[in-house]
Amino acid sequence: MNYLEGLNDAQKLAVLAKDGPISVLAGAGSGKTRVLTTRIYHLIREGIPANQILAVTFTNKSAREMRARVRTMLGEENLSESPFVATFHGLGRELLEKYGKVIGVPRFFSVYDRDDSEKAIAAALKALDVDTKELSPRAVLGRISRAKGEGMRANEFYEKNARSGFGARITAEVWLRYEKTLAAEKSLDFDDLIALPVRMLQEHADVRALAQDRWQYLHIDEYQDTNALQGRLTNILAEKHRNLFVVGDIDQTIYTWRGATIENLLEFDKKYPESQTIILERNYRSTKNLVDAANAVIEKNKNRKEKYSTTEQAAGESIVVHMARSAEDEARWIALKIRELMKKGTKPEDIAILFRTNFQSRALEEGLLRAGVPYKLLGTHFFARKEVKDALAWIRLAMEPTREVDKLRAAASPPRGIGKVTLGKLAAGQRSLLRAGELAKVEQFELIIAELSQAASALTPSAFVRLVIEKSGMRRALFEEGSAEDRERFENVEEIASVAARHDENVGKEGIAAFLAESALASDQDELDQGEKTGVTLMTVHAAKGLEFGTVFVSGMEEGLFPHQGMGGEKDRDEEEERRLFYVAMTRAKDRLFLTLARVRKIYGTDTAAEPSSFLADIDNSLVLLDETEDHDIFF
């Protein structure tokens, strides 16, 4: 059992605990991913068929990393099947693709991303003559998403809210129209990928039995971030064999605002009275000063399970706190401090700047640009870029030629003289009303789609993407005839083939559907895998969850900003969640942590005097170094 070498006693206990429900409370940097992958390997070595093992993570990035680690551990061992490792949405997609026909889900369905959903809801609001300034599509989608997360259906919501206030009533009517749009497009949205599998498993005992026997050993990572419906899906799948292994850290619960419920982990031993609890407290990531400071911050929370991180690492550098005069001065100081670190040999890729709210990024970007520090800003997904969405529309259209949304986008990308009016006539069955020139363009467009649709059955996903790029005319429009900017955009289009290649083991529509699902479910962290740009990483603290960097700057450490007060004042703030969020920010750092703030910050156009964050007072003075240098003093 040499694969157990290097594990501490608690980690070994978790790896070797084979049967029954087990909860692992894993502190930051405690090696939980190693525990999960080693346990999966151990189960296979113990004779458990690999295809009976399920592991669920929260991002595509972490799922890919876990699959790669398991494959590396298995080495040359001859396995006809592999463990199924996916996100919750990936698991939902798998269940619906395999068994969804019992509830009317088509075999090859598309997945609406948030942008698609907001556009469909905007169209429904327009049809109801509702001004989107009065009720935004994003707000309506958020309300629908929360209701779906609670297991509610559109008809139930309508019956409950048809006579309610304006917002709820309009949302109910929009939801009914939205469901019709999804059905017509043979599509589902993010929330359907959880809600529909739960409904299917609850209503169809035969399917439930098949799913429970398919995966007899379940592993759920980041269990503290599951919502009620994800918890229900987990419990249904584990109900028969009860081999459920969950890993989480209540101190890192930072997503209650989008439905995560801390109770899934807090009450695990009540749901499973026979369960075993294992605590991983040794931090392998951060220096002792950082671990001690993080402990001091998080122990103030009351709604948690007792856990105290320890480390055998050296004390390391003090935590640097710097107060600047303004947000612009804060940004300049950070940029120049990074330049100083880079001169001493620190790689920019090992540095992150974290912020609590998105508006802070503007000043930070300007500071880095002026200092000549390379950076990348997480937040604009690779798959959300216009040229990438254009190519994806062509790919989806080849898979399902009836999708009107994709027809509109593909017909205009690149332009071929087919407008919305022409496509509207086609959708209304008025083909005979088209003029000869219009009809010729439409027929040529349809011929390309038909050719691609036929080719999709025989090509690998990456080869199919390359064919789409050629046949659609995107190569000609962007690369051969385009501007320098267009050619840069074409590089993003080409990158789609590289992403699709991850699914090349499945030739034909199966592999293409898997690639499309990955593209729809991409997260901020997937941007880090594109490798197109190097430099310091800028992102929100929420986006940094699960990542680590040698040096971390946390900006905006001001009362009302972090902890964040919100638009509704004190009543809008969950202090314990804000404290957990700060704990997550601190524990991203391995070696150095800088906490910065401004005396005055412009918020909503008004200069606002700031007080230091109350969280700073939680850190013992012996762990802190107050840096009072001005930005111009660093080099001059």
Side-chain angles (χ1 to χ4, degrees):
M1 288 192 178
N2 59 351
Y3 56 90
L4 296 178
E5 290 180 6
L7 297 178
N8 63 42
D9 290 344
Q11 289 173 328
K12 286 179 185 175
L13 187 62
V15 167
L16 298 175
K18 180 182 176 185
D19 297 314
I22 300 156
S23 68
V24 177
L25 302 182
S30 62
K32 68 181 177 63
T33 303
R34 183 182 181 187
V35 167
L36 278 165
T37 52
T38 307
R39 183 176 194 271
I40 291 170
Y41 177 70
H42 175 70
L43 289 174
I44 295 171
R45 290 287 298 266
E46 288 287 293
I48 303 301
N51 61 347
Q52 289 184 6
I53 299 172
L54 168 69
V56 181
T57 71
F58 261 78
T59 66
N60 288 321
K61 177 177 164 49
S62 57
R64 284 193 296 272
E65 288 174 352
M66 187 175 293
R67 278 194 293 268
R69 286 201 194 192
V70 171
R71 279 197 298 268
T72 299
M73 293 187 76
L74 291 170
E76 299 302 318
E77 294 180 29
N78 185 23
L79 288 175
S80 57
E81 299 286 348
S82 300
F84 187 82
V85 184
T87 62
F88 262 107
H89 291 97
L91 169 62
R93 178 183 63 82
E94 174 72 10
L95 288 167
L96 291 173
E97 285 185 351
K98 286 287 189 292
Y99 316 113
K101 63 181 180 181
V102 300
I103 56 172
V105 175
R107 175 67 183 84
F108 294 114
F109 55 83
S110 294
V111 180
Y112 266 31
D113 62 20
R114 295 296 183 192
D115 185 49
D116 293 329
S117 294
E118 286 188 23
K119 285 180 179 176
I121 287 171
L125 287 167
K126 184 178 180 181
L128 292 169
D129 201 26
V130 175
D131 188 343
T132 54
K133 292 180 180 178
E134 190 174 5
L135 188 61
S136 74
R138 177 170 294 186
V140 173
L141 178 60
R143 186 172 284 191
I144 292 172
S145 180
R146 286 191 295 275
K148 284 188 176 184
E150 294 167 2
M152 192 173 291
R153 305 187 192 192
N155 286 332
E156 293 175 66
F157 190 87
Y158 182 81
E159 290 172 8
K160 181 180 178 181
N161 293 286
R163 294 177 178 81
S164 300
F166 175 76
R169 176 172 53 81
I170 294 299
T171 298
E173 294 182 23
V174 165
W175 190 355
L176 292 175
R177 290 172 179 264
Y178 177 50
E179 290 299 313
K180 289 179 180 177
T181 299
L182 289 171
E185 297 285 326
K186 295 184 181 179
S187 298
L188 306 177
D189 67 12
F190 281 170
D191 301 298
D192 291 331
L193 293 178
I194 309 298
L196 293 181
V198 168
R199 187 183 310 166
M200 176 179 69
L201 295 174
Q202 287 175 330
E203 296 176 354
H204 295 271
D206 54 340
V207 173
R208 184 167 66 248
L210 287 170
Q212 289 172 342
D213 284 336
R214 177 180 174 184
W215 296 305
Q216 297 184 23
Y217 286 83
L218 282 69
H219 303 76
I220 313 294
D221 192 15
E222 304 286 7
Y223 197 59
Q224 79 281 350
D225 288 332
T226 53
N227 62 27
L229 212 55
Q230 289 164 339
R232 200 178 309 168
L233 177 58
T234 298
N235 292 328
I236 291 171
L237 291 174
E239 185 177 28
K240 182 176 180 180
H241 299 284
R242 300 182 77 77
N243 296 319
L244 175 59
F245 187 92
V246 303
V247 182
D249 183 5
I250 289 163
D251 294 336
Q252 296 186 66
T253 302
I254 59 173
Y255 293 116
T256 59
W257 53 274
R258 69 180 187 194
T261 172
I262 199 170
E263 282 72 24
N264 282 344
L265 186 55
L266 269 176
E267 299 179 0
F268 186 82
D269 53 353
K270 293 180 182 177
K271 177 71 179 176
Y272 297 95
E274 75 277 31
S275 67
Q276 179 180 359
T277 299
I278 300 168
I279 303 177
L280 305 182
E281 293 181 302
R282 186 180 300 176
N283 184 308
Y284 292 93
R285 175 187 301 156
S286 306
T287 64
K288 187 175 187 303
N289 282 346
L290 294 176
V291 170
D292 289 348
N295 280 334
V297 167
I298 200 62
E299 68 184 8
K300 296 289 181 68
N301 275 4
K302 295 181 173 58
N303 195 21
R304 64 190 293 260
K305 289 196 173 184
E306 193 60 37
K307 174 174 56 64
Y308 190 84
S309 292
T310 62
T311 184
E312 295 181 356
Q313 303 242 52
E317 299 181 21
S318 298
I319 296 169
V320 176
V321 175
H322 175 75
M323 177 182 281
R325 290 168 297 188
S326 66
E328 288 70 27
D329 287 338
E330 176 194 36
R332 279 194 293 272
W333 187 90
I334 290 173
L336 293 175
K337 181 61 71 173
I338 290 173
R339 216 167 75 181
E340 182 182 40
L341 290 170
M342 288 168 58
K343 282 186 175 182
K344 293 178 180 177
T346 302
K347 294 180 179 178
E349 293 75 31
D350 201 28
I351 301 173
I353 305 175
L354 309 183
F355 42 87
R356 175 61 182 84
T357 57
N358 282 304
F359 80 84
Q360 293 172 253
S361 67
R362 179 200 59 79
L364 293 167
E365 284 192 82
E366 289 179 0
L368 294 172
L369 283 168
R370 287 198 180 107
V373 174
Y375 72 92
K376 50 194 172 187
L377 175 67
L378 262 66
T380 301
H381 305 324
F382 173 77
F383 291 109
R385 294 167 187 172
K386 180 188 180 301
E387 61 272 17
V388 175
K389 289 178 76 71
D390 291 344
L392 290 175
W394 275 97
I395 297 167
R396 286 194 298 262
L397 204 53
M399 294 285 283
E400 180 47 65
T402 62
R403 277 181 54 104
E404 295 300 324
V405 171
D406 288 325
K407 275 185 186 176
L408 281 170
R409 186 156 203 141
S413 309
R416 58 193 71 238
I418 302 174
K420 291 182 180 180
V421 174
T422 300
L423 291 174
K425 290 176 183 177
L426 289 175
Q430 298 173 338
R431 195 180 190 93
S432 60
L433 298 182
L434 296 179
R435 297 190 298 272
E438 292 175 325
L439 185 59
K441 291 173 183 176
V442 166
E443 288 177 344
Q444 179 61 30
F445 178 53
E446 291 174 337
L447 179 62
I448 297 171
I449 295 168
E451 289 177 2
L452 289 172
S453 186
Q454 185 175 0
S457 300
L459 296 176
T460 63
S462 62
F464 180 67
V465 169
R466 288 192 291 270
L467 182 65
V468 166
I469 292 170
E470 295 291 338
K471 288 286 187 181
S472 66
M474 293 189 78
R475 173 181 287 280
R476 174 179 49 78
L478 293 177
F479 183 73
E480 296 172 7
E481 301 174 2
S483 63
E485 184 179 342
D486 286 333
R487 284 192 287 276
E488 284 186 18
R489 291 169 57 206
F490 183 71
E491 290 177 3
N492 290 331
V493 174
E494 282 189 313
E495 179 66 15
I496 300 172
S498 300
V499 179
R502 295 171 184 158
H503 303 277
D504 276 356
E505 69 273 12
N506 293 319
V507 176
K509 292 190 174 182
E510 293 273 350
I512 298 168
F515 156 67
L516 286 172
E518 178 185 353
S519 70
L521 302 175
S523 69
D524 285 350
Q525 290 190 7
D526 291 300
E527 284 293 282
L528 295 175
D529 283 351
Q530 298 306 324
E532 65 191 65
K533 189 176 181 181
T534 59
V536 175
T537 302
L538 273 75
M539 65 184 124
T540 65
V541 182
H542 284 99
K545 177 79 176 297
L547 301 177
E548 60 180 42
F549 299 87
T551 302
V552 171
F553 291 80
V554 184
S555 63
M557 291 302 305
E558 299 139 33
E559 196 68 13
L561 183 56
F562 202 0
H564 193 250
Q565 185 168 286
M567 296 294 288
E570 288 295 326
K571 68 178 186 300
D572 195 38
R573 183 169 81 184
D574 180 345
E575 180 113 7
E576 291 218 345
E577 176 133 349
E578 289 294 308
R579 189 179 297 279
R580 292 193 293 266
L581 191 59
F582 182 44
Y583 175 78
V584 166
M586 297 176 75
T587 54
R588 298 313 91 200
K590 293 191 287 186
D591 303 309
R592 300 184 197 89
L593 178 63
F594 294 85
L595 305 176
T596 64
L597 61 153
R599 292 189 184 93
V600 175
R601 187 176 298 272
K602 194 178 291 292
I603 299 178
Y604 306 118
T606 303
D607 284 337
T608 305
E611 293 292 329
S613 169
S614 53
F615 292 157
L616 294 175
D618 296 336
I619 305 172
D620 192 278
N621 287 338
S622 65
L623 304 175
V624 173
L625 172 66
L626 187 62
D627 188 317
E628 298 182 296
T629 59
E630 300 292 346
D631 54 55
H632 58 270
D633 291 334
I634 295 178
F635 291 107
F636 306 107

